[in-house]
Amino acid sequence: MSTRTLIVGGGIAGLAAAWALARAGARGVELHEQDTQLAMHASSRNAAILRTPMPDPVLEAAALEGAQLLRTPPRDLGADSFVDTNGVVLLGDPLHTPWLQRVVARPQTQALRADRLQALHPLVRSVAPTIQQSATSVEQAWLVPDEGSIRLGALLTALRSALEHYGVRVHTRSTITHLEPGRGAYDAQRRFYPADRLVVATGAWAQPLAASAGSTLRFQPTRRHLLIAEAGRALDARWPVVWAEQAPFYARVVTRGLLLSSCDEVAVDAQHAPVDPRVLSTIVERAHARLHVPAHLAVRHAWSCLRTHGPNERFVVGPDPLVPDLWFLAGLGGHGITCALPTALMLAEWMTRGTSTHPLAAAFGPQR
Ligand SMILES: Cc1cc2nc3c(=O)[nH]c(=O)nc-3n(C[C@H](O)[C@H](O)[C@H](O)COP(=O)(O)OP(=O)(O)OC[C@H]3O[C@@H](n4cnc5c(N)ncnc54)[C@H](O)[C@@H]3O)c2cc1C
């Protein structure tokens, strides 16, 4: 195939798109990233949790496929697995939460009694003092055993190596400001890069770039906070991720302590999303409710980053409905690390064969 493809955005979406296109036989693939390095934004500032149960069954199906690819990666990514399968402990009330019922019905899901929960993760309180329990709503715990943490550094390194292997040209410090589908793209210095097809993989910055080509697709960046706290005791890297559905909260053991979030989500402008100290207080409050941690929780590092949604909060994968030769792998929301590989393979099939046979193509296609 002699068509030239220019991918804009060097986060996991752009890297995975370039990998999937190159392995599908596309020649002349190039990737442009505005920063000095690849994957400096959401793709390296996320929680790297592999947790497939989620409210939207379509996203859940994509996450299950992503989980499989991360556990058993294609050979050209050169790793046995990108997952530490320590498990995910889910805390919630299935009677009132339909998506929890789906995970409870999975054959591998295990109901956890208090003693088993304690043995699996000694920090977790079996009954959280400030979480309301009533006659009609009782929180329970389950273990989803084959999920856990994604080896993010290894995954990004493997994708970068694969691009080198396939001869994909990577331009860093290259801010693409204007797209001319069918012709190419301009950078901030008005340099022109000829290309037949353009792929928007610019995460939180997808909408303005797509609009420069005449696309009317909408993307909404939302902000989420994470912090790393000292737990006041030795941590075991084999403890599972903990995910609470009520008063949302999650905790994961990382090298420097406990990675915590209260799953906040506020629509923001991608250019201005500073850390909000009130959200950090909520995370600390929920950590006290959920975990046996010191009364004074020492925060080592806190940050916020952007999760960006497409229409109806589903991924945007495929061709623009109105603008020919303009393609998307964007709007990966809170699941891009889990779902980049399957969505990139879907995009590559679509771009190289002119159609996608993937069962989720209609749900993720921009024309929906
Ligand atoms: C706090 C937080 C926690 C998360 N936790 C998880 C998790 O546990 N599991 C999971 O699966 N997912 C998680 N995610 C989601 C995941 O991080 C994202 O879905 C994913 O990183 C999005 O990747 P991306 O490549 O689309 O965007 P980005 O990583 O933001 O990459 C976009 C890139 O495009 C570049 N760019 C933008 N405009 C231009 C331009 N004009 N020219 C050139 N380059 C440009 C940017 O510099 C950037 O590098 C989390 C996200 C956040 C914020």
Side-chain angles (χ1 to χ4, degrees), residues 9 11-13 33-34 41-43 46-49 174 176 333-338:
I12 196 154
E33 164 56 46
Q34 66 188 1
H41 294 272
S43 297
N46 57 81
I49 292 171
S174 178
I176 298 298
H335 309 293
I337 308 304
T338 306

Side-chain angles (χ1 to χ4, degrees), residues 7-15 32-35 37-51 70 148 150 152 171 173-178 201-206 209 222-226 243 250 252 259 261 264 303-308 315 329-340:
I7 298 166
V8 194
I12 196 154
L15 290 169
H32 291 250
E33 164 56 46
Q34 66 188 1
D35 259 309
Q37 290 175 50
L38 299 168
M40 298 282 284
H41 294 272
S43 297
S44 59
R45 309 182 74 204
N46 57 81
I49 292 171
L50 175 64
R51 171 196 61 109
L70 290 168
I150 300 169
L152 181 59
H171 305 252
R173 299 174 201 262
S174 178
T175 306
I176 298 298
T177 51
H178 191 81
T202 45
W205 303 272
L209 189 67
T222 67
R223 181 182 57 186
R224 174 157 296 182
H225 292 73
L226 290 171
W243 195 293
Y250 61 78
R252 189 196 137 196
L259 178 74
S261 176
D264 56 305
W303 68 97
S304 68
C305 198
L306 300 172
R307 301 156 91 246
T308 301
F315 310 150
L329 182 52
L332 298 183
H335 309 293
I337 308 304
T338 306
C339 297

Side-chain angles (χ1 to χ4, degrees), residues 108-164:
Q108 65 275 33
T109 302
Q110 300 165 24
L112 296 176
R113 287 202 330 241
D115 54 344
R116 177 95 199 288
L117 176 60
Q118 182 72 37
L120 272 175
H121 199 318
L123 289 190
V124 182
R125 294 178 188 274
S126 48
V127 179
T130 57
I131 305 302
Q132 284 219 325
Q133 306 259 349
S134 70
T136 55
S137 172
V138 178
E139 190 173 85
Q140 298 170 48
W142 290 273
L143 176 68
V144 184
D146 47 1
E147 305 190 353
S149 305
I150 300 169
R151 296 175 192 150
L152 181 59
L155 175 61
L156 293 171
T157 302
L159 285 169
R160 279 193 291 256
S161 304
L163 300 199
E164 228 176 283

Side-chain angles (χ1 to χ4, degrees), residues 67-285:
Q68 195 50 41
L69 283 164
L70 290 168
R71 282 190 297 252
T72 317
R75 287 182 60 184
D76 59 353
L77 292 180
D80 291 339
S81 171
F82 292 112
V83 187
D84 289 325
T85 49
N86 295 344
V88 175
V89 167
L90 289 174
L91 302 166
D93 168 14
L95 270 184
H96 296 90
T97 318
W99 64 272
L100 270 178
Q101 289 167 16
R102 282 201 305 274
V103 69
V104 170
R106 289 186 194 174
Q108 65 275 33
T109 302
Q110 300 165 24
L112 296 176
R113 287 202 330 241
D115 54 344
R116 177 95 199 288
L117 176 60
Q118 182 72 37
L120 272 175
H121 199 318
L123 289 190
V124 182
R125 294 178 188 274
S126 48
V127 179
T130 57
I131 305 302
Q132 284 219 325
Q133 306 259 349
S134 70
T136 55
S137 172
V138 178
E139 190 173 85
Q140 298 170 48
W142 290 273
L143 176 68
V144 184
D146 47 1
E147 305 190 353
S149 305
I150 300 169
R151 296 175 192 150
L152 181 59
L155 175 61
L156 293 171
T157 302
L159 285 169
R160 279 193 291 256
S161 304
L163 300 199
E164 228 176 283
H165 168 78
Y166 287 119
V168 171
R169 284 191 66 186
V170 174
H171 305 252
T172 49
R173 299 174 201 262
S174 178
T175 306
I176 298 298
T177 51
H178 191 81
L179 302 179
E180 289 195 3
R183 285 194 65 235
Y186 285 95
D187 73 7
Q189 280 77 44
R190 296 296 296 163
R191 271 187 298 251
F192 183 67
Y193 297 91
D196 306 289
R197 298 177 310 185
L198 302 168
V199 179
V200 175
T202 45
W205 303 272
Q207 189 170 312
L209 189 67
S212 78
S215 171
T216 55
L217 282 178
R218 295 275 168 265
F219 294 89
Q220 179 60 61
T222 67
R223 181 182 57 186
R224 174 157 296 182
H225 292 73
L226 290 171
L227 64 80
I228 296 180
E230 284 177 31
R233 57 166 287 176
L235 299 175
D236 189 332
R238 291 167 303 179
W239 289 345
V241 170
V242 177
W243 195 293
E245 184 270 330
Q246 217 181 333
F249 172 76
Y250 61 78
R252 189 196 137 196
V253 175
V254 293
T255 320
R256 296 174 60 214
L258 280 173
L259 178 74
L260 308 172
S261 176
S262 58
C263 306
D264 56 305
E265 178 152 42
V266 174
V268 288
D269 176 349
Q271 309 306 337
H272 185 70
V275 167
D276 180 344
R278 289 168 304 180
V279 179
L280 302 186
S281 304
T282 305
I283 300 177
V284 169
E285 243 169 59

